[in-house]
């Protein structure tokens, strides 16, 4: 099971913003799309990632006026990405040690999806259920 297995089910759509998006506008995009992290693209190139956590941190440090500033002032520019062939175990380990819950997927130099910790957990549960069901039928027919 790898990243492509997850993307095959959830799709490859990636919601993105430009670095000059106003942060208040960003919060509306989080809410409307029920997501917690958004990729920042500049001229089609991955320029950063910004999550709800960045917005909360900025408000707590700088006050609510920060909502009128632009996304590039709070985004993380040093983005950790993954490839379609990376395994679920690898992704879990990178997300755990990096303390983030989202990873853009890059294939042939292009953004081709995004994986969240929720997607990874869902995949893990599906695998465990499949294993349990195989064990049950093995026991019943054995
Ligand atoms: P998250 O847990 O994904 O909401 O993000 C927590 C923090 O890590 C925020 O500061 C994000 O900007 C940052 N972050 C999220 N995803 C990544 C990633 N793939 N690479 C680097 N930083 C990230």
């Amino acid at each position: 099971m790898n990243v492509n297995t997850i993307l095959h089910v959830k799709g490859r759509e990636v919601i993105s913003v430009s670095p000059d998006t106003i942060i208040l506008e960003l919060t509306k995009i989080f809410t409307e799309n029920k997501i917690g992290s958004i990729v920042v693209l500049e001229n089609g190139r991955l320029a950063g990632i910004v999550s709800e956590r960045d917005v909360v941190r900025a408000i707590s440090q700088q006050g609510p006026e920060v909502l009128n500033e632009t996304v590039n002032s709070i985004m993380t520019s040093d983005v950790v990405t993954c490839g379609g062939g990376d395994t679920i175990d690898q992704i879990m380990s990178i997300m755990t040690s990096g303390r983030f819950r989202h990873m853009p997927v890059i294939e042939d130099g292009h953004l081709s999806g995004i994986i969240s910790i929720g997607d990874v957990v869902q995949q893990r549960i599906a695998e465990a259920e499949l294993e349990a069901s195989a064990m049950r039928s093995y026991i019943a027919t054995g």
Side-chain angles (χ1 to χ4, degrees):
M1 297 288 175
N2 60 22
V3 166
N4 276 331
T5 316
I6 294 178
L7 292 182
H8 186 69
V9 177
K10 78 171 271 199
R12 292 181 178 271
E13 189 204 358
V14 183
I15 294 165
S16 65
V17 292
S18 64
D20 59 1
T21 304
I22 300 295
I23 297 171
L24 182 60
E25 185 57 31
L26 175 79
T27 64
K28 291 177 187 163
I29 301 173
F30 283 141
T31 308
E32 280 160 14
N33 294 283
K34 300 186 175 67
I35 55 175
S37 194
I38 297 180
V39 159
V40 183
L41 294 182
E42 189 168 27
N43 303 322
R45 195 187 60 84
L46 183 62
I49 191 162
V50 61
S51 93
E52 289 168 331
R53 207 169 271 190
D54 298 312
V55 177
V56 171
R57 189 188 302 122
I59 293 172
S60 80
Q61 290 173 345
Q62 302 170 51
E65 316 79 66
V66 78
L67 291 170
N68 298 316
E69 290 183 20
T70 52
V71 161
N72 57 353
S73 66
I74 64 165
M75 71 184 188
T76 301
S77 306
D78 197 7
V79 186
V80 180
T81 62
C82 62
D86 291 349
T87 65
I88 306 303
D89 280 351
Q90 285 172 317
I91 299 301
M92 283 179 79
S93 160
I94 297 167
M95 283 185 178
T96 305
S97 58
R99 302 180 76 87
F100 48 73
R101 298 165 292 183
H102 301 87
M103 281 176 86
V105 185
I106 305 288
E107 297 233 83
D108 300 324
H110 294 103
L111 183 63
S112 73
I114 188 160
I115 295 287
S116 76
I117 191 78
D119 300 325
V120 172
V121 169
Q122 208 175 6
Q123 178 65 29
R124 259 295 141 85
I125 291 170
E127 279 173 30
E129 281 172 353
L130 204 66
E131 261 177 47
S133 147
M135 290 294 276
R136 273 196 298 272
S137 79
Y138 174 74
I139 292 162
T141 57

